[in-house]
Amino acid sequence: MSNAFSHAPYAGPTRPFTIGLCALDPTRWIEPDGDLQRYLDEKRNLIETRLDDVFRATEDSLPAQHECLEALVAHIERDHPGHSRREGQILHVAGHAINLADESTPPLLRAGMLVQDDLVIMMKREAGWSIAAAHLSFPSSWLLSEKFDRPMEAVHEHVPGFQAGTRNAVMINRIFNNLLPGQPAERFNWSINWREKLFHPETGRNDAAAPEEAVIRVERQTLTKLPDTGAIVFTIRIYLDPVCLFQTHPEGRRLAAALADQLETMEDAQLAYKGLDRQKAHLVAKLRQDAAKISP
C-alpha cells in the first residue's frame, strides 16, 4: 500500500452525493504510480477470463475509441515518459506489450491496458449522453451489462439525488454539453467495502464484517471531451485504503475523524445506497476510537 491515501475526498470540503467537479490540468489526466503493473496484470486476467463483464462497445463508438487511444498514447508519452517504452507500434508498459496497431483488438481495449484507470466513452444520443463503450475492469458495486448503452438518467436511477428530473441530473447533462476540448474536469467519489479487491461488481454491503475490516474505495474520475468525435472520455481510477492504515499514517488522526464526520452527516437513503445503513454506528465508533488513540 505504497500509495495509501493518495486522495482523501471525504476529508475535504465536498459533501457526498454532490457533483463536486473541478477544472483539471491536462497534464494530470492520468496518474500512473508504483502499482501500475498490479492493475494491468488484473486487467489482463479479466480480459482473458471475463471479457463480457469488462468490455462492451457499440459499432458507432469505433471512431471515438480510436481517438481515445491516440489521445492516451500521446498523453502517456508526453507527460509520463518514465512509465512506457516505445518500439515501433509496440508500447511497453509495466511488463505488458501493447500492439497499438492490432486492429483485431478494439481500440478501447488496447487503451485500457495502458493505464490503471477504467475508460468509459460517452456519446450524445437522442435519449441523452450514453455509455457507448467501456473498458471497465474495476466497477464499484455495479454491472457494466446493466448500464451499457443507457443514458445518464438511467445509469444514475438508483443514486439518491441524481435521478431523472433532479437538479443534479440536469446539471450533469449541462456539464457534458458545455465541456470543451482541452479543458478536462475532475471529481472524486468514495464508498466503503469490506474486502481489498479491485474488481468489485457486487454490492458493498456486508453486515457481518467487523469495522476494522473496512476499506475506503476512492474513485478519481475525469471527464475529457475529444475534439474530433465530440465524445467524452470518462476515466475512473480506483484507490483502496484499509481504515486500519489510519493508525500508521501521518495524517491518520485527521482523516479518521473526517471520515466519521462525513458518515454521521449522511442521510438514511445515502447510507442505504452505500450499504452502510446497518454498519454506520459501528464504523463511526471505531473511527472515533482510532482518532483518539493516534498521536496528533
XYZ file of all heavy atoms in Angstrom, residues 114-207:
767
model
N -3.113 0.367 -21.020
C -2.008 1.313 -20.863
C -2.048 2.032 -19.518
O -1.057 2.642 -19.113
C -2.058 2.371 -21.985
C -2.004 1.875 -23.425
C -2.212 3.043 -24.386
C -0.673 1.197 -23.707
N -3.203 1.965 -18.835
C -3.409 2.803 -17.650
C -4.101 2.019 -16.545
O -4.731 0.990 -16.785
C -4.257 4.048 -18.009
C -3.506 4.944 -18.985
C -5.616 3.642 -18.585
N -4.002 2.530 -15.318
C -4.699 1.905 -14.188
C -6.188 2.229 -14.194
O -6.988 1.536 -13.564
C -4.066 2.387 -12.876
C -2.722 1.728 -12.588
C -1.820 2.585 -11.721
O -1.185 3.508 -12.205
N -1.755 2.268 -10.439
N -6.576 3.264 -14.899
C -7.947 3.738 -14.918
C -8.845 2.867 -15.790
O -8.410 2.296 -16.791
C -8.010 5.166 -15.470
C -7.019 6.102 -14.792
O -5.807 5.824 -14.848
O -7.453 7.119 -14.240
N -10.120 2.803 -15.414
C -11.149 2.305 -16.318
C -11.508 3.419 -17.288
O -11.411 4.612 -16.953
C -12.391 1.877 -15.537
C -12.222 0.514 -14.877
O -11.429 -0.298 -15.392
O -12.870 0.269 -13.852
N -11.945 3.046 -18.492
C -12.249 4.015 -19.538
C -13.678 3.819 -20.027
O -14.058 2.719 -20.420
C -11.277 3.852 -20.712
C -9.779 3.939 -20.386
C -8.954 3.617 -21.628
C -9.417 5.319 -19.847
N -14.448 4.898 -20.010
C -15.833 4.858 -20.477
C -16.016 5.971 -21.502
O -15.664 7.120 -21.239
C -16.821 5.065 -19.307
C -18.266 5.050 -19.809
C -16.618 3.990 -18.242
N -16.551 5.625 -22.666
C -16.806 6.622 -23.703
C -18.288 6.956 -23.717
O -19.139 6.084 -23.877
C -16.342 6.121 -25.082
C -14.809 6.088 -25.134
C -16.887 7.009 -26.193
C -14.240 5.622 -26.444
N -18.571 8.240 -23.518
C -19.940 8.746 -23.526
C -20.209 9.440 -24.862
O -19.399 10.252 -25.318
C -20.152 9.745 -22.389
C -19.663 9.282 -21.021
S -20.592 7.886 -20.368
C -22.243 8.597 -20.295
N -21.336 9.103 -25.482
C -21.729 9.747 -26.732
C -23.132 10.313 -26.574
O -23.975 9.732 -25.888
C -21.667 8.744 -27.895
C -20.256 8.286 -28.218
S -20.166 7.014 -29.524
C -20.913 7.882 -30.900
N -23.382 11.445 -27.218
C -24.686 12.080 -27.108
C -25.647 11.463 -28.111
O -25.418 11.467 -29.314
C -24.576 13.596 -27.341
C -25.844 14.340 -26.965
C -25.656 15.836 -27.009
C -26.914 16.554 -26.508
N -26.767 18.022 -26.544
N -26.724 10.933 -27.589
C -27.756 10.321 -28.414
C -29.075 11.047 -28.190
O -29.152 11.993 -27.395
C -27.878 8.844 -28.066
C -26.553 8.068 -28.126
C -26.817 6.582 -28.197
N -25.598 5.786 -28.136
C -24.750 5.607 -29.137
N -24.979 6.212 -30.301
N -23.674 4.843 -29.001
N -30.111 10.608 -28.858
C -31.412 11.259 -28.725
C -31.908 11.224 -27.285
O -32.530 12.174 -26.797
C -32.429 10.576 -29.647
C -33.781 11.274 -29.692
C -34.723 10.648 -30.701
O -34.259 9.896 -31.583
O -35.936 10.916 -30.607
N -31.610 10.129 -26.583
C -32.048 9.989 -25.190
C -31.118 10.683 -24.208
O -31.404 10.729 -23.010
C -32.161 8.519 -24.830
N -29.995 11.230 -24.701
C -29.041 11.908 -23.840
C -27.665 11.259 -23.902
O -27.431 10.329 -24.678
N -26.750 11.755 -23.096
C -25.397 11.210 -23.061
C -25.430 9.789 -22.519
O -25.957 9.539 -21.432
C -24.503 12.081 -22.192
C -24.151 13.385 -22.851
C -24.805 14.570 -22.733
C -23.058 13.610 -23.749
N -24.193 15.537 -23.499
C -23.111 14.970 -24.131
C -22.040 12.810 -24.260
C -22.191 15.544 -25.003
C -21.104 13.368 -25.130
C -21.183 14.721 -25.499
N -24.882 8.852 -23.319
C -24.993 7.427 -23.001
C -23.636 6.746 -23.038
O -22.699 7.221 -23.689
C -25.923 6.735 -24.008
O -27.194 7.353 -24.035
N -23.533 5.617 -22.335
C -22.314 4.815 -22.354
C -22.270 4.042 -23.669
O -23.000 3.077 -23.869
C -22.276 3.839 -21.166
C -22.258 4.610 -19.846
C -21.049 2.927 -21.264
C -22.274 3.716 -18.614
N -21.380 4.484 -24.569
C -21.284 3.856 -25.888
C -20.193 2.795 -25.939
O -20.241 1.889 -26.781
C -21.014 4.921 -26.956
N -19.215 2.902 -25.059
C -18.149 1.907 -24.984
C -17.526 1.991 -23.599
O -17.482 3.065 -23.000
C -17.088 2.142 -26.058
N -17.052 0.861 -23.108
C -16.431 0.862 -21.786
C -15.455 -0.291 -21.649
O -15.739 -1.413 -22.050
C -17.493 0.776 -20.685
N -14.290 0.017 -21.116
C -13.344 -0.995 -20.652
C -13.306 -0.817 -19.143
O -12.565 0.002 -18.609
C -11.966 -0.758 -21.272
C -10.966 -1.828 -20.938
N -9.701 -1.856 -21.481
C -11.042 -2.920 -20.121
C -9.037 -2.897 -21.008
N -9.842 -3.549 -20.176
N -14.163 -1.563 -18.451
C -14.441 -1.369 -17.034
C -14.013 -2.606 -16.244
O -14.794 -3.530 -16.064
C -15.930 -1.080 -16.819
C -16.316 -0.713 -15.395
C -16.143 0.794 -15.176
C -17.752 -1.111 -15.103
N -12.779 -2.597 -15.779
C -12.253 -3.743 -15.045
C -12.537 -3.679 -13.557
O -12.574 -4.715 -12.888
C -10.730 -3.839 -15.253
O -10.424 -4.020 -16.618
N -12.736 -2.467 -13.026
C -12.822 -2.301 -11.581
C -14.087 -1.550 -11.174
O -14.025 -0.455 -10.605
C -11.569 -1.571 -11.077
C -10.273 -2.150 -11.582
C -9.277 -1.335 -12.102
C -10.058 -3.519 -11.562
C -8.088 -1.872 -12.573
C -8.869 -4.072 -12.027
C -7.876 -3.244 -12.544
N -15.260 -2.118 -11.454
C -16.510 -1.442 -11.103
C -16.718 -1.377 -9.598
O -16.278 -2.254 -8.864
C -17.578 -2.337 -11.761
C -16.949 -3.708 -11.753
C -15.482 -3.466 -12.015
N -17.376 -0.322 -9.150
C -17.678 -0.143 -7.736
C -19.152 -0.460 -7.493
O -20.010 0.414 -7.536
C -17.350 1.287 -7.298
O -15.968 1.548 -7.449
N -19.427 -1.742 -7.300
C -20.778 -2.236 -6.983
C -21.789 -1.964 -8.094
O -22.913 -1.552 -7.819
C -21.258 -1.623 -5.653
O -20.378 -1.964 -4.602
N -21.387 -2.173 -9.333
C -22.342 -2.109 -10.440
C -21.856 -2.985 -11.587
O -20.688 -3.351 -11.651
C -22.598 -0.685 -10.898
C -21.425 0.097 -11.428
C -20.409 0.652 -10.699
C -21.157 0.441 -12.796
N -19.536 1.315 -11.521
C -19.971 1.212 -12.806
C -21.808 0.187 -14.003
C -19.409 1.719 -13.994
C -21.256 0.701 -15.185
C -20.075 1.461 -15.169
N -22.783 -3.335 -12.452
C -22.503 -4.226 -13.577
C -22.550 -3.446 -14.879
O -23.520 -2.727 -15.154
C -23.518 -5.366 -13.633
C -23.542 -6.318 -12.438
C -24.736 -7.265 -12.555
C -22.249 -7.104 -12.355
N -21.515 -3.591 -15.697
C -21.487 -2.918 -16.988
C -22.670 -3.339 -17.847
O -23.256 -2.520 -18.560
C -20.168 -3.233 -17.699
C -19.989 -2.641 -19.097
C -20.130 -1.123 -19.071
C -18.637 -3.060 -19.676
N -23.055 -4.599 -17.776
C -24.164 -5.090 -18.601
C -25.468 -4.358 -18.312
O -26.331 -4.238 -19.176
C -24.356 -6.598 -18.385
O -24.642 -6.877 -17.016
N -25.619 -3.840 -17.078
C -26.851 -3.147 -16.702
C -26.840 -1.671 -17.081
O -27.902 -1.042 -17.163
C -27.076 -3.283 -15.192
C -27.331 -4.715 -14.740
C -27.512 -4.813 -13.241
O -27.309 -3.783 -12.536
O -27.857 -5.904 -12.753
N -25.667 -1.092 -17.304
C -25.551 0.342 -17.585
C -25.183 0.642 -19.036
O -25.370 1.764 -19.512
C -24.477 0.975 -16.680
C -24.624 0.652 -15.200
C -25.824 1.316 -14.573
C -25.852 1.095 -13.072
N -27.046 1.700 -12.428
N -24.663 -0.352 -19.745
C -24.160 -0.139 -21.100
C -25.246 0.334 -22.057
O -26.369 -0.169 -22.055
C -23.541 -1.432 -21.627
C -23.113 -1.367 -23.065
C -22.104 -0.503 -23.465
C -23.738 -2.143 -24.016
C -21.720 -0.431 -24.797
C -23.366 -2.088 -25.347
C -22.353 -1.219 -25.734
N -24.895 1.318 -22.877
C -25.766 1.877 -23.914
C -27.041 2.490 -23.331
O -28.087 2.513 -23.986
C -26.108 0.816 -24.962
C -26.458 1.444 -26.317
O -26.098 2.617 -26.546
O -27.093 0.753 -27.140
N -26.943 2.986 -22.107
C -28.073 3.643 -21.463
C -27.694 5.090 -21.144
O -26.531 5.399 -20.880
C -28.462 2.914 -20.172
C -28.828 1.453 -20.377
C -29.371 0.845 -19.098
N -30.694 1.373 -18.762
C -31.294 1.180 -17.590
N -30.686 0.497 -16.637
N -32.495 1.671 -17.358
N -28.667 6.001 -21.146
C -28.375 7.409 -20.848
C -28.074 7.626 -19.372
O -28.372 6.766 -18.529
C -29.665 8.127 -21.262
C -30.724 7.084 -21.151
C -30.065 5.782 -21.514
N -27.499 8.791 -19.062
C -27.055 9.062 -17.706
C -28.178 8.962 -16.685
O -27.981 8.491 -15.565
C -26.411 10.455 -17.637
C -25.093 10.559 -18.387
S -23.873 9.333 -17.828
C -23.614 9.871 -16.148
N -29.385 9.409 -17.039
C -30.502 9.328 -16.092
C -30.778 7.884 -15.685
O -31.092 7.599 -14.529
C -31.766 9.952 -16.692
C -31.751 11.467 -16.745
C -31.045 11.987 -17.991
O -30.445 11.158 -18.736
O -31.073 13.207 -18.219
N -30.643 6.960 -16.639
C -30.859 5.547 -16.332
C -29.685 4.975 -15.545
O -29.874 4.149 -14.638
C -31.060 4.757 -17.622
N -28.472 5.421 -15.874
C -27.287 4.966 -15.153
C -27.382 5.344 -13.676
O -27.006 4.587 -12.781
C -26.009 5.563 -15.785
C -24.793 5.305 -14.901
C -25.786 4.969 -17.173
N -27.924 6.539 -13.413
C -27.992 7.060 -12.043
C -29.361 6.881 -11.396
O -29.639 7.520 -10.377
C -27.645 8.555 -12.049
C -26.213 8.842 -12.367
N -25.810 9.992 -13.023
C -25.093 8.128 -12.133
C -24.501 9.971 -13.164
N -24.034 8.854 -12.634
N -30.202 6.014 -11.938
C -31.586 5.943 -11.469
C -31.731 5.558 -9.993
O -32.740 5.882 -9.365
C -32.397 4.980 -12.342
C -31.924 3.535 -12.290
C -32.739 2.645 -13.219
O -33.868 3.049 -13.578
O -32.249 1.561 -13.602
N -30.733 4.891 -9.427
C -30.830 4.477 -8.026
C -29.954 5.323 -7.098
O -29.885 5.049 -5.903
C -30.431 3.005 -7.882
C -31.306 2.069 -8.662
N -32.667 1.963 -8.433
C -31.022 1.204 -9.670
C -33.181 1.071 -9.262
N -32.207 0.595 -10.018
N -29.290 6.348 -7.652
C -28.401 7.183 -6.841
C -29.206 8.319 -6.218
O -29.790 9.125 -6.945
C -27.252 7.760 -7.693
C -26.297 8.561 -6.796
C -26.513 6.646 -8.415
N -29.252 8.410 -4.899
C -30.037 9.473 -4.257
C -29.613 10.871 -4.725
O -28.430 11.200 -4.707
C -29.720 9.281 -2.767
C -29.351 7.853 -2.636
C -28.632 7.501 -3.906
N -30.600 11.632 -5.192
C -30.338 12.991 -5.621
C -29.860 13.134 -7.054
O -29.618 14.251 -7.520
N -29.724 12.025 -7.779
C -29.231 12.085 -9.157
C -30.220 11.469 -10.149
O -29.913 11.318 -11.325
C -27.882 11.359 -9.276
C -26.717 12.164 -8.761
C -26.480 12.270 -7.400
C -25.867 12.821 -9.627
C -25.416 13.006 -6.907
C -24.791 13.559 -9.154
C -24.573 13.658 -7.791
N -31.411 11.121 -9.700
C -32.394 10.514 -10.581
C -32.879 11.538 -11.609
O -32.675 12.746 -11.466
C -33.579 9.986 -9.769
C -33.205 8.953 -8.721
C -32.974 9.540 -7.345
O -32.584 10.699 -7.220
N -33.233 8.762 -6.314
N -33.531 11.029 -12.653
C -34.056 11.894 -13.717
C -34.952 12.964 -13.120
O -35.783 12.688 -12.245
C -34.833 11.058 -14.733
N -34.763 14.194 -13.580
C -35.579 15.303 -13.108
C -34.997 16.062 -11.938
O -35.465 17.161 -11.611
N -33.965 15.514 -11.297
C -33.342 16.215 -10.178
C -32.396 17.295 -10.701
O -31.972 17.289 -11.860
C -32.546 15.249 -9.287
O -31.496 14.639 -10.073
C -33.446 14.157 -8.733
N -32.064 18.216 -9.824
C -31.147 19.301 -10.190
C -29.793 18.742 -10.620
O -29.189 19.225 -11.594
C -30.974 20.257 -9.010
C -30.035 21.426 -9.274
C -30.030 22.407 -8.101
N -29.140 23.531 -8.340
C -27.852 23.537 -8.016
N -27.322 22.472 -7.438
N -27.093 24.597 -8.263
N -29.306 17.728 -9.915
C -28.018 17.143 -10.272
C -28.044 16.512 -11.667
O -27.081 16.625 -12.430
C -27.604 16.088 -9.241
C -27.059 16.701 -7.968
O -26.491 17.793 -7.986
N -27.223 16.008 -6.851
N -29.149 15.844 -12.002
C -29.263 15.227 -13.327
C -29.230 16.288 -14.423
O -28.574 16.120 -15.458
C -30.546 14.410 -13.414
N -29.924 17.384 -14.206
C -29.922 18.488 -15.175
C -28.521 19.079 -15.306
O -28.036 19.354 -16.412
C -30.933 19.575 -14.760
C -30.804 20.802 -15.661
C -32.359 19.020 -14.809
N -27.841 19.247 -14.179
C -26.503 19.832 -14.191
C -25.503 18.942 -14.903
O -24.624 19.431 -15.635
C -26.048 20.095 -12.751
C -26.727 21.285 -12.093
S -26.089 21.589 -10.418
C -24.375 21.997 -10.774
N -25.614 17.629 -14.712
C -24.686 16.715 -15.375
C -24.807 16.827 -16.890
O -23.803 16.911 -17.613
C -24.937 15.270 -14.913
C -24.441 15.082 -13.479
C -24.242 14.270 -15.840
C -24.770 13.727 -12.884
N -26.040 16.841 -17.394
C -26.222 16.981 -18.846
C -25.678 18.316 -19.339
O -25.079 18.399 -20.414
C -27.699 16.840 -19.197
C -28.126 15.386 -19.326
O -27.668 14.664 -20.202
N -28.994 14.948 -18.435
N -25.868 19.357 -18.552
C -25.363 20.677 -18.943
C -23.831 20.681 -18.965
O -23.212 21.247 -19.873
C -25.883 21.735 -17.960
C -25.570 23.175 -18.356
C -26.228 24.130 -17.381
N -27.679 23.955 -17.367
C -28.455 24.317 -16.361
N -27.928 24.872 -15.269
N -29.754 24.135 -16.428
N -23.229 20.042 -17.975
C -21.766 19.958 -17.924
C -21.234 19.198 -19.131
O -20.273 19.617 -19.771
C -21.320 19.271 -16.610
C -21.558 20.207 -15.423
C -19.857 18.854 -16.682
C -21.438 19.521 -14.073
N -21.863 18.073 -19.460
C -21.432 17.294 -20.620
C -21.574 18.100 -21.905
O -20.699 18.074 -22.771
C -22.252 16.003 -20.710
C -21.768 14.903 -19.817
C -21.210 15.175 -18.578
C -21.881 13.573 -20.189
C -20.770 14.177 -17.749
C -21.441 12.552 -19.369
C -20.879 12.852 -18.140
N -22.678 18.820 -22.022
C -22.908 19.606 -23.238
C -21.888 20.728 -23.391
O -21.473 21.058 -24.506
C -24.314 20.221 -23.223
C -25.406 19.187 -23.431
O -25.180 18.138 -24.022
N -26.602 19.473 -22.936
N -21.469 21.322 -22.268
C -20.613 22.504 -22.310
C -19.126 22.206 -22.170
O -18.302 23.121 -22.297
C -21.033 23.494 -21.217
C -22.425 24.053 -21.438
O -22.903 24.135 -22.560
N -23.099 24.437 -20.364
N -18.785 20.959 -21.900
C -17.376 20.603 -21.749
C -16.629 20.871 -23.055
O -17.109 20.533 -24.145
C -17.250 19.127 -21.374
C -15.890 18.641 -20.881
C -15.536 19.262 -19.539
C -15.892 17.112 -20.770
N -15.451 21.484 -22.953
C -14.683 21.856 -24.135
C -13.411 21.023 -24.250
O -12.794 20.678 -23.232
C -14.304 23.338 -24.077
C -15.449 24.345 -24.085
C -14.911 25.766 -23.897
C -16.250 24.236 -25.379
N -12.988 20.699 -25.470
C -11.709 20.005 -25.648
C -10.583 20.833 -25.048
O -10.575 22.062 -25.138
C -11.577 19.905 -27.176
C -12.982 19.965 -27.686
C -13.693 20.899 -26.764
N -9.645 20.167 -24.432
C -8.523 20.873 -23.830
C -8.804 21.439 -22.459
O -7.922 22.036 -21.830
N -10.054 21.258 -21.969
C -10.420 21.754 -20.642
C -11.102 20.629 -19.847
O -12.296 20.686 -19.566
C -11.343 22.969 -20.765
C -10.695 24.163 -21.454
C -11.618 25.370 -21.526
O -12.617 25.458 -20.816
N -11.297 26.302 -22.393
N -10.342 19.603 -19.486
C -10.919 18.454 -18.764
C -11.329 18.838 -17.345
O -10.962 19.901 -16.828
C -9.783 17.436 -18.756
C -8.538 18.278 -18.824
C -8.897 19.443 -19.704
N -12.082 17.953 -16.719
C -12.556 18.179 -15.354
C -12.314 16.928 -14.520
O -12.158 15.822 -15.051
C -14.035 18.549 -15.358
N -12.317 17.109 -13.207
C -12.015 16.032 -12.272
C -12.983 16.079 -11.093
O -13.408 17.152 -10.664
C -10.580 16.210 -11.767
C -10.114 15.265 -10.690
C -8.739 15.653 -10.153
O -8.570 16.776 -9.620
O -7.821 14.823 -10.293
N -13.336 14.910 -10.595
C -14.131 14.816 -9.372
C -13.756 13.529 -8.645
O -13.093 12.653 -9.219
C -15.636 14.843 -9.653
C -16.185 13.581 -10.280
C -17.690 13.646 -10.535
N -18.458 13.771 -9.299
C -18.923 12.734 -8.602
N -18.691 11.488 -9.013
N -19.643 12.924 -7.502
N -14.198 13.423 -7.386
C -13.900 12.239 -6.597
C -15.175 11.668 -5.998
O -16.132 12.386 -5.722
C -12.908 12.575 -5.473
C -11.527 12.894 -5.963
C -11.179 14.190 -6.301
C -10.576 11.895 -6.098
C -9.916 14.495 -6.764
C -9.307 12.185 -6.559
C -8.968 13.488 -6.893
N -15.155 10.375 -5.802
C -16.241 9.675 -5.136
C -15.608 8.677 -4.181
O -14.437 8.322 -4.326
C -17.128 8.972 -6.158
C -18.433 8.480 -5.567
O -18.862 8.945 -4.514
N -19.072 7.532 -6.235
N -16.349 8.237 -3.190
C -15.817 7.218 -2.279
C -16.944 6.358 -1.740
O -18.099 6.765 -1.696
C -15.034 7.857 -1.137
C -15.835 8.746 -0.236
C -16.049 10.089 -0.375
C -16.570 8.358 0.936
N -16.858 10.558 0.619
C -17.186 9.525 1.450
C -16.757 7.149 1.607
C -17.983 9.513 2.591
C -17.548 7.130 2.748
C -18.142 8.309 3.234
N -16.565 5.168 -1.341
C -17.503 4.237 -0.728
C -16.720 3.365 0.245
O -15.498 3.478 0.355
C -18.204 3.382 -1.794
O -17.246 2.697 -2.593
N -17.419 2.515 0.957
C -16.783 1.589 1.898
C -17.047 0.159 1.448
O -18.189 -0.238 1.235
C -17.327 1.773 3.334
C -17.062 3.195 3.840
C -16.700 0.745 4.272
C -15.616 3.533 4.073
N -15.971 -0.596 1.272
C -16.064 -2.029 1.002
C -15.485 -2.778 2.195
O -14.943 -2.174 3.118
C -15.300 -2.392 -0.275
C -15.934 -1.831 -1.539
O -15.299 -1.772 -2.565
N -17.186 -1.395 -1.469
N -15.572 -4.100 2.137
C -15.097 -4.908 3.257
C -14.063 -5.923 2.811
O -13.645 -6.781 3.596
C -16.283 -5.587 3.947
C -17.291 -4.555 4.343
C -18.392 -4.180 3.631
C -17.254 -3.695 5.487
N -19.045 -3.152 4.267
C -18.383 -2.839 5.428
C -16.388 -3.580 6.583
C -18.653 -1.877 6.389
C -16.661 -2.632 7.548
C -17.785 -1.797 7.453
N -13.648 -5.781 1.563
C -12.543 -6.584 1.043
C -11.700 -5.698 0.152
O -12.212 -4.834 -0.553
C -13.049 -7.793 0.239
C -13.737 -8.858 1.069
C -14.187 -10.011 0.187
N -13.062 -10.653 -0.482
C -13.185 -11.507 -1.502
N -14.391 -11.810 -1.956
N -12.132 -12.055 -2.058
N -10.402 -5.926 0.186
C -9.479 -5.112 -0.611
C -9.345 -5.731 -2.001
O -8.389 -6.435 -2.301
C -8.121 -5.032 0.096
C -7.205 -3.963 -0.461
C -5.916 -3.854 0.340
O -5.901 -4.272 1.513
O -4.937 -3.354 -0.230
N -10.332 -5.462 -2.857
C -10.330 -6.042 -4.200
C -10.693 -4.976 -5.225
O -11.538 -4.108 -4.975
C -11.294 -7.219 -4.288
C -12.716 -6.915 -3.852
C -13.607 -8.144 -3.892
C -13.840 -8.632 -5.303
N -14.890 -9.683 -5.386
N -10.064 -5.040 -6.378
C -10.294 -4.045 -7.429
C -11.568 -4.345 -8.216
O -12.388 -3.462 -8.449
C -9.085 -3.990 -8.367
C -7.818 -3.359 -7.793
C -6.616 -3.638 -8.693
C -8.003 -1.860 -7.626
N -11.726 -5.597 -8.653
C -12.925 -5.991 -9.393
C -14.034 -6.237 -8.380
O -14.051 -7.260 -7.692
C -12.642 -7.254 -10.217
C -13.833 -7.737 -11.023
C -14.293 -7.017 -12.107
C -14.470 -8.915 -10.685
C -15.383 -7.466 -12.840
C -15.567 -9.373 -11.421
C -16.015 -8.635 -12.493
N -14.963 -5.293 -8.262
C -15.953 -5.345 -7.184
C -17.346 -4.996 -7.731
O -17.913 -3.958 -7.385
C -15.570 -4.369 -6.081
C -16.219 -4.634 -4.761
N -17.570 -4.478 -4.546
C -15.707 -5.071 -3.580
C -17.857 -4.784 -3.293
N -16.750 -5.154 -2.681
N -17.919 -5.866 -8.575
C -19.247 -5.570 -9.126
C -20.379 -5.793 -8.133
O -21.470 -5.245 -8.290
C -19.356 -6.545 -10.300
C -18.500 -7.704 -9.887
C -17.346 -7.102 -9.120
N -20.130 -6.592 -7.090
C -21.181 -6.913 -6.128
C -21.427 -5.740 -5.182
O -20.632 -4.818 -5.082
C -20.826 -8.169 -5.335
C -19.580 -8.039 -4.479
C -18.303 -8.428 -5.200
O -18.298 -8.461 -6.445
O -17.306 -8.694 -4.501
N -22.543 -5.800 -4.487
C -22.893 -4.749 -3.545
C -21.837 -4.625 -2.461
O -21.175 -5.601 -2.095
C -24.259 -5.029 -2.888
O -24.503 -4.030 -1.887
C -24.279 -6.385 -2.219
N -21.690 -3.410 -1.922
C -20.708 -3.187 -0.878
C -21.180 -3.614 0.496
O -20.416 -3.577 1.454
N -22.444 -4.033 0.629
C -22.994 -4.372 1.945
C -22.377 -5.668 2.486
O -22.247 -6.663 1.772
C -24.505 -4.543 1.842
C -25.171 -4.869 3.186
C -26.650 -5.098 3.022
N -27.325 -3.897 2.567
C -27.664 -2.873 3.357
N -27.363 -2.915 4.639
N -28.274 -1.836 2.862
N -21.989 -5.613 3.767
C -21.564 -6.810 4.477
C -21.812 -6.560 5.956
O -20.956 -6.081 6.693
C -20.082 -7.115 4.237
C -19.649 -8.429 4.870
O -20.358 -8.994 5.705
N -18.491 -8.926 4.479
N -23.016 -6.883 6.400
C -23.426 -6.549 7.760
C -22.652 -7.330 8.826
O -22.618 -6.930 9.994
C -24.927 -6.806 7.935
C -25.770 -5.904 7.035
O -25.251 -4.844 6.632
O -26.922 -6.260 6.739
